[in-house]
Structure formats: C-alpha cells, structure tokens
Amino acid sequence: MLMLTGLVALQIATFSTGSTRGQYLVIAPPGASQGEAIGIIGQARGGLQDITRFPNVVIASSSAPDFPEKLHEAGAWIVLPAPVKSGCYPPASGETIQ
C-alpha cells in the first residue's frame, strides 16, 4: 500500500510540474464511459486533445483561465496539468508515431 501511495504521489508531482499550454488531464468519476468523460469537456466548453487507455481519463484543452474550475463543475473528479507526451505508452494498433 505504501508503494502504491508513493507511485500515485510521484505521478501527481510529474503532472503538476509540466507546462500545460492550456492542456489538462481530466479524470471523470470511476466507471464513467469515454463518452461521459468527453461530455464533461464539452460542458466546460473545451476541446478534446487525446484519449487514454482508460475510458474515464482524457486530455482536454482550452485557453480559458477558469477551465479547470469549469471541468470540476461539469463533473470531473480530478484535473491536472497535462504532461508533455513523452512516449511512455505504445501507440494503439494502426497508429503511427511521427
């Protein structure tokens, strides 16, 4: 349990130190579908930047300074600055890296 807590804290620290450029990692409530997660972005008047392996986790963007607050109001559980895509995850089948 201690190791899991440390890993979660490390991930949060990693996500919070990067430059966001208006991009955020949005975590919808557990059990939410990808459509519901994307719906949260739409309600907050943002744009979808990327999807992840988890249906309730997406990357969103907006130039509005209050976008994180709007995401929370729309139902997001957690909103973090999005990390720069560093290639930690392999591409989905059929996807190419450029």
Side-chain angles (χ1 to χ4, degrees), residues 40 44 67-80:
I40 289 172
F67 185 56
E69 291 82 18
K70 288 181 180 181
L71 287 166
H72 282 295
E73 291 170 4
W77 271 31
I78 300 172
V79 178
L80 299 170

Side-chain angles (χ1 to χ4, degrees), residues 51-87:
I51 57 173
T52 68
R53 292 178 181 241
F54 305 100
N56 67 323
V57 181
V58 292
I59 307 289
S61 67
S62 174
S63 59
D66 61 343
F67 185 56
E69 291 82 18
K70 288 181 180 181
L71 287 166
H72 282 295
E73 291 170 4
W77 271 31
I78 300 172
V79 178
L80 299 170
V84 176
K85 208 170 196 179
S86 61

Side-chain angles (χ1 to χ4, degrees), residues 33-60:
S33 69
Q34 194 171 63
E36 291 169 327
I38 293 170
I40 289 172
I41 297 170
Q43 289 177 19
R45 308 289 236 171
L48 175 67
Q49 288 300 306
D50 205 354
I51 57 173
T52 68
R53 292 178 181 241
F54 305 100
N56 67 323
V57 181
V58 292
I59 307 289

